[in-house]
Short mmCIF file of all heavy atoms in Angstrom, two decimals:
data_model
loop_
_atom_site.label_atom_id
_atom_site.label_comp_id
_atom_site.label_asym_id
_atom_site.label_seq_id
_atom_site.Cartn_x
_atom_site.Cartn_y
_atom_site.Cartn_z
N ASP A 311 -2.83 43.31 -17.31
CA ASP A 311 -2.69 44.61 -16.67
C ASP A 311 -2.55 45.73 -17.64
O ASP A 311 -3.37 46.70 -17.76
CB ASP A 311 -1.63 44.58 -15.65
CG ASP A 311 -1.54 45.86 -14.81
OD1 ASP A 311 -2.62 46.53 -14.67
OD2 ASP A 311 -0.46 46.16 -14.34
N GLN A 312 -1.47 45.68 -18.47
CA GLN A 312 -1.23 46.79 -19.43
C GLN A 312 -2.16 46.72 -20.68
O GLN A 312 -2.42 47.78 -21.27
CB GLN A 312 0.21 46.67 -19.92
CG GLN A 312 1.24 46.94 -18.81
CD GLN A 312 1.21 48.34 -18.28
OE1 GLN A 312 1.07 49.31 -19.11
NE2 GLN A 312 1.51 48.56 -17.03
N ASN A 313 -2.70 45.50 -20.92
CA ASN A 313 -3.65 45.38 -22.03
C ASN A 313 -3.12 46.09 -23.29
O ASN A 313 -3.78 46.80 -23.99
CB ASN A 313 -5.02 46.01 -21.68
CG ASN A 313 -6.16 45.33 -22.44
OD1 ASN A 313 -5.94 44.44 -23.30
ND2 ASN A 313 -7.38 45.79 -22.18
N CYS A 314 -1.89 45.67 -23.64
CA CYS A 314 -1.07 46.33 -24.70
C CYS A 314 -1.68 46.24 -26.12
O CYS A 314 -1.43 47.13 -26.93
CB CYS A 314 0.35 45.81 -24.63
SG CYS A 314 1.30 46.28 -23.24
N PHE A 315 -2.49 45.27 -26.31
CA PHE A 315 -2.97 45.00 -27.70
C PHE A 315 -4.47 45.33 -27.88
O PHE A 315 -5.09 45.01 -28.85
CB PHE A 315 -2.75 43.60 -28.15
CG PHE A 315 -1.33 43.09 -27.86
CD1 PHE A 315 -1.09 41.85 -27.22
CD2 PHE A 315 -0.23 43.91 -28.20
CE1 PHE A 315 0.20 41.46 -26.91
CE2 PHE A 315 1.08 43.49 -27.93
CZ PHE A 315 1.27 42.23 -27.33
N LYS A 316 -5.04 46.05 -26.85
CA LYS A 316 -6.41 46.32 -26.86
C LYS A 316 -6.75 47.31 -27.96
O LYS A 316 -7.69 47.15 -28.80
CB LYS A 316 -6.84 46.87 -25.51
CG LYS A 316 -8.26 47.42 -25.49
CD LYS A 316 -9.34 46.39 -25.60
CE LYS A 316 -10.70 46.97 -25.41
NZ LYS A 316 -11.79 46.03 -25.80
N SER A 317 -6.04 48.40 -28.10
CA SER A 317 -6.26 49.45 -29.05
C SER A 317 -5.76 49.06 -30.41
O SER A 317 -4.98 48.14 -30.62
CB SER A 317 -5.63 50.78 -28.63
OG SER A 317 -4.24 50.60 -28.74
N GLN A 318 -6.28 49.82 -31.44
CA GLN A 318 -5.79 49.52 -32.82
C GLN A 318 -4.29 49.70 -32.91
O GLN A 318 -3.57 48.95 -33.58
CB GLN A 318 -6.50 50.36 -33.73
CG GLN A 318 -6.12 50.06 -35.27
CD GLN A 318 -6.88 50.88 -36.25
OE1 GLN A 318 -7.82 51.72 -35.93
NE2 GLN A 318 -6.65 50.68 -37.51
N GLU A 319 -3.80 50.85 -32.28
CA GLU A 319 -2.40 51.16 -32.34
C GLU A 319 -1.61 50.00 -31.67
O GLU A 319 -0.51 49.62 -32.15
CB GLU A 319 -2.14 52.45 -31.63
CG GLU A 319 -0.67 52.93 -31.60
CD GLU A 319 -0.41 54.14 -30.84
OE1 GLU A 319 -1.36 54.61 -30.15
OE2 GLU A 319 0.72 54.65 -30.81
N GLY A 320 -2.18 49.51 -30.64
CA GLY A 320 -1.38 48.40 -29.93
C GLY A 320 -1.33 47.10 -30.70
O GLY A 320 -0.26 46.52 -30.82
N TYR A 321 -2.51 46.73 -31.30
CA TYR A 321 -2.47 45.42 -32.01
C TYR A 321 -1.74 45.63 -33.41
O TYR A 321 -1.19 44.58 -33.94
CB TYR A 321 -3.79 44.76 -32.15
CG TYR A 321 -4.88 45.41 -33.07
CD1 TYR A 321 -4.64 45.45 -34.50
CD2 TYR A 321 -6.09 45.89 -32.63
CE1 TYR A 321 -5.63 45.94 -35.35
CE2 TYR A 321 -7.06 46.40 -33.43
CZ TYR A 321 -6.82 46.38 -34.80
OH TYR A 321 -7.79 46.92 -35.64
N GLU A 322 -1.71 46.80 -33.90
CA GLU A 322 -0.87 46.98 -35.16
C GLU A 322 0.57 46.79 -34.85
O GLU A 322 1.27 46.22 -35.73
CB GLU A 322 -1.20 48.34 -35.81
CG GLU A 322 -2.51 48.48 -36.47
CD GLU A 322 -2.70 47.62 -37.70
OE1 GLU A 322 -1.66 47.11 -38.24
OE2 GLU A 322 -3.83 47.36 -38.17
N GLU A 323 1.04 47.26 -33.67
CA GLU A 323 2.44 47.03 -33.29
C GLU A 323 2.68 45.52 -33.19
O GLU A 323 3.73 44.96 -33.53
CB GLU A 323 2.75 47.66 -32.01
CG GLU A 323 2.98 49.16 -32.14
CD GLU A 323 4.18 49.51 -33.02
OE1 GLU A 323 5.29 48.79 -32.84
OE2 GLU A 323 4.04 50.44 -33.91
N LEU A 324 1.70 44.78 -32.59
CA LEU A 324 1.86 43.32 -32.50
C LEU A 324 1.94 42.66 -33.92
O LEU A 324 2.83 41.81 -34.11
CB LEU A 324 0.65 42.79 -31.78
CG LEU A 324 0.51 41.26 -31.64
CD1 LEU A 324 1.68 40.69 -30.85
CD2 LEU A 324 -0.81 40.88 -30.92
N LEU A 325 1.06 43.10 -34.78
CA LEU A 325 1.12 42.54 -36.15
C LEU A 325 2.39 42.74 -36.94
O LEU A 325 2.73 41.98 -37.76
CB LEU A 325 -0.10 43.05 -36.95
CG LEU A 325 -1.49 42.56 -36.42
CD1 LEU A 325 -2.61 43.31 -37.21
CD2 LEU A 325 -1.64 41.13 -36.55
N LYS A 326 2.98 43.89 -36.58
CA LYS A 326 4.36 44.13 -37.28
C LYS A 326 5.39 43.08 -37.01
O LYS A 326 6.32 42.85 -37.80
CB LYS A 326 4.90 45.50 -36.79
CG LYS A 326 4.21 46.72 -37.32
CD LYS A 326 4.86 47.96 -36.77
CE LYS A 326 4.08 49.21 -37.20
NZ LYS A 326 4.64 50.46 -36.61
N ALA A 327 5.22 42.32 -35.85
CA ALA A 327 6.15 41.31 -35.49
C ALA A 327 5.85 39.95 -36.09
O ALA A 327 6.61 39.03 -35.88
CB ALA A 327 6.17 41.19 -33.95
N ILE A 328 4.68 39.85 -36.81
CA ILE A 328 4.33 38.59 -37.40
C ILE A 328 4.82 38.50 -38.84
O ILE A 328 4.50 39.34 -39.68
CB ILE A 328 2.74 38.48 -37.40
CG1 ILE A 328 2.13 38.76 -36.03
CG2 ILE A 328 2.35 37.10 -37.93
CD1 ILE A 328 2.72 37.89 -34.99
N PRO A 329 5.71 37.45 -39.11
CA PRO A 329 6.32 37.40 -40.46
C PRO A 329 5.52 36.81 -41.56
O PRO A 329 5.96 36.74 -42.67
CB PRO A 329 7.60 36.49 -40.13
CG PRO A 329 7.09 35.63 -39.05
CD PRO A 329 6.18 36.44 -38.18
N ASP A 330 4.29 36.39 -41.30
CA ASP A 330 3.48 35.79 -42.28
C ASP A 330 2.30 36.71 -42.65
O ASP A 330 1.36 36.98 -41.81
CB ASP A 330 2.87 34.46 -41.78
CG ASP A 330 2.18 33.63 -42.76
OD1 ASP A 330 1.38 34.23 -43.60
OD2 ASP A 330 2.38 32.45 -42.90
N SER A 331 2.34 37.27 -43.85
CA SER A 331 1.37 38.26 -44.27
C SER A 331 -0.08 37.74 -44.31
O SER A 331 -1.01 38.48 -44.02
CB SER A 331 1.69 38.86 -45.65
OG SER A 331 1.74 37.79 -46.62
N ARG A 332 -0.23 36.38 -44.64
CA ARG A 332 -1.58 35.85 -44.60
C ARG A 332 -2.20 35.84 -43.22
O ARG A 332 -3.41 36.11 -43.04
CB ARG A 332 -1.56 34.44 -45.20
CG ARG A 332 -1.36 34.44 -46.69
CD ARG A 332 -1.09 33.02 -47.21
NE ARG A 332 0.21 32.48 -46.75
CZ ARG A 332 0.66 31.26 -47.08
NH1 ARG A 332 -0.08 30.51 -47.82
NH2 ARG A 332 1.83 30.90 -46.57
N VAL A 333 -1.36 35.43 -42.30
CA VAL A 333 -1.85 35.40 -40.87
C VAL A 333 -2.13 36.83 -40.42
O VAL A 333 -3.18 37.07 -39.73
CB VAL A 333 -0.82 34.74 -39.95
CG1 VAL A 333 -1.18 34.97 -38.49
CG2 VAL A 333 -0.64 33.28 -40.32
N VAL A 334 -1.32 37.85 -40.79
CA VAL A 334 -1.54 39.17 -40.36
C VAL A 334 -2.84 39.72 -40.89
O VAL A 334 -3.62 40.31 -40.20
CB VAL A 334 -0.35 40.08 -40.89
CG1 VAL A 334 -0.67 41.58 -40.76
CG2 VAL A 334 0.91 39.76 -40.22
N GLU A 335 -3.14 39.49 -42.16
CA GLU A 335 -4.39 40.01 -42.80
C GLU A 335 -5.58 39.32 -42.15
O GLU A 335 -6.62 39.98 -41.86
CB GLU A 335 -4.40 39.75 -44.24
CG GLU A 335 -3.48 40.68 -45.01
CD GLU A 335 -3.80 42.18 -44.72
OE1 GLU A 335 -5.01 42.55 -44.69
OE2 GLU A 335 -2.83 42.95 -44.40
N ALA A 336 -5.52 38.04 -41.87
CA ALA A 336 -6.59 37.30 -41.31
C ALA A 336 -6.92 37.76 -39.84
O ALA A 336 -8.07 38.03 -39.41
CB ALA A 336 -6.32 35.80 -41.20
N LEU A 337 -5.88 38.04 -39.07
CA LEU A 337 -6.04 38.56 -37.71
C LEU A 337 -6.55 40.00 -37.71
O LEU A 337 -7.37 40.35 -36.90
CB LEU A 337 -4.70 38.44 -36.96
CG LEU A 337 -4.25 37.04 -36.59
CD1 LEU A 337 -2.92 37.07 -35.96
CD2 LEU A 337 -5.28 36.31 -35.73
N ARG A 338 -5.97 40.78 -38.58
CA ARG A 338 -6.44 42.18 -38.66
C ARG A 338 -7.92 42.33 -38.98
O ARG A 338 -8.66 43.06 -38.36
CB ARG A 338 -5.63 42.98 -39.65
CG ARG A 338 -5.99 44.47 -39.81
CD ARG A 338 -5.26 45.23 -40.83
NE ARG A 338 -3.89 45.47 -40.41
CZ ARG A 338 -2.79 45.08 -41.06
NH1 ARG A 338 -2.88 44.31 -42.08
NH2 ARG A 338 -1.61 45.41 -40.60
N THR A 339 -8.36 41.51 -40.01
CA THR A 339 -9.77 41.48 -40.35
C THR A 339 -10.67 41.07 -39.16
O THR A 339 -11.67 41.67 -38.89
CB THR A 339 -10.04 40.52 -41.51
OG1 THR A 339 -9.21 41.00 -42.64
CG2 THR A 339 -11.43 40.50 -41.91
N LYS A 340 -10.19 40.04 -38.40
CA LYS A 340 -10.97 39.56 -37.30
C LYS A 340 -11.07 40.60 -36.20
O LYS A 340 -12.12 40.87 -35.60
CB LYS A 340 -10.27 38.26 -36.83
CG LYS A 340 -11.07 37.66 -35.61
CD LYS A 340 -10.45 36.32 -35.24
CE LYS A 340 -11.27 35.69 -34.10
NZ LYS A 340 -10.66 34.32 -33.72
#
Side-chain angles (χ1 to χ4, degrees):
D311 187 25
Q312 295 290 326
N313 206 359
C314 290
F315 312 133
K316 171 68 175 173
S317 68
Q318 182 178 2
E319 181 183 7
Y321 73 66
E322 285 295 343
E323 281 300 314
L324 174 63
L325 293 175
K326 286 179 185 177
I328 309 305
D330 189 316
S331 59
R332 288 172 292 182
V333 171
V334 168
E335 286 307 314
L337 291 176
R338 180 182 286 120
T339 300
K340 181 175 184 177

